Amino acid sequence: MARRDVRTIRDEASAAVEKGRWQNAYDCYLELERAERTDGSWARRAGDMQRRLEHDALAMECYGRAANRYASSGFLVQAIAVCKVMLQIDPDHSETLQQLAAMQEKRGLAAAPRGGELPAAGAAAASRATKAAAAT
């Protein structure tokens, strides 16, 4: 089978999203992910389509690939954002909690804000990450 042009696949994916054809869009995003292996956005978009299809396990796999690609390309803010989406699906996902804590530490976000206390959401995530790290 001949390899399709990336622009054609992007157009097809965009049209599928506009028409609400989530599975077709997902298939296009997987093809784009294979064509542009370092770009995390295609895996993230594939995850978005799986969420729309209510396939959370597949969405988590896609988002995990996206976070890894973003992080390895130096896009830590995007990687952190994807991890937070993953935690919306599964708040206790230990691997994601550990990955998020490591990335935030790398960015220097692990330090407490000026008041000396972490915000409630940050404290809860830090607590879960610590528990997950202790469990492994």
Side-chain angles (χ1 to χ4, degrees):
M1 182 167 120
R3 189 170 173 175
R4 297 192 310 156
D5 178 50
V6 170
R7 183 177 299 149
T8 303
I9 303 167
R10 286 180 186 172
D11 292 343
E12 188 178 320
S14 180
V17 169
E18 286 178 19
K19 294 176 183 176
R21 295 181 178 162
W22 315 129
Q23 185 62 49
N24 290 352
Y26 170 74
D27 294 337
C28 290
Y29 290 139
L30 286 183
E31 195 171 345
L32 286 165
E33 185 181 1
R34 285 189 295 272
E36 299 180 347
R37 295 196 177 271
T38 60
D39 190 343
S41 66
W42 303 124
R44 181 188 47 80
R45 291 181 188 195
D48 292 344
M49 294 305 104
Q50 287 303 322
R51 281 194 81 184
R52 288 179 185 250
L53 292 165
E54 299 181 5
H55 299 152
D56 288 346
L58 286 174
M60 290 289 285
E61 289 177 21
C62 294
Y63 288 140
R65 290 193 310 271
N68 289 335
R69 287 190 179 133
Y70 281 137
S72 66
S73 297
F75 298 108
L76 289 180
V77 172
Q78 290 88 340
I80 289 169
V82 171
C83 285
K84 289 181 178 183
V85 171
M86 293 173 73
L87 292 175
Q88 288 175 352
I89 297 170
D90 183 0
D92 297 320
H93 193 257
S94 62
E95 186 177 317
T96 302
L97 289 167
Q98 291 172 354
Q99 185 178 17
L100 181 60
M103 285 188 286
Q104 287 179 328
E105 184 175 321
K106 190 173 186 178
R107 284 203 65 234
L109 297 177
R114 289 186 196 163
E117 295 181 11
L118 289 172
S127 174
R128 288 195 305 265
T130 302
K131 289 178 185 174
T136 57

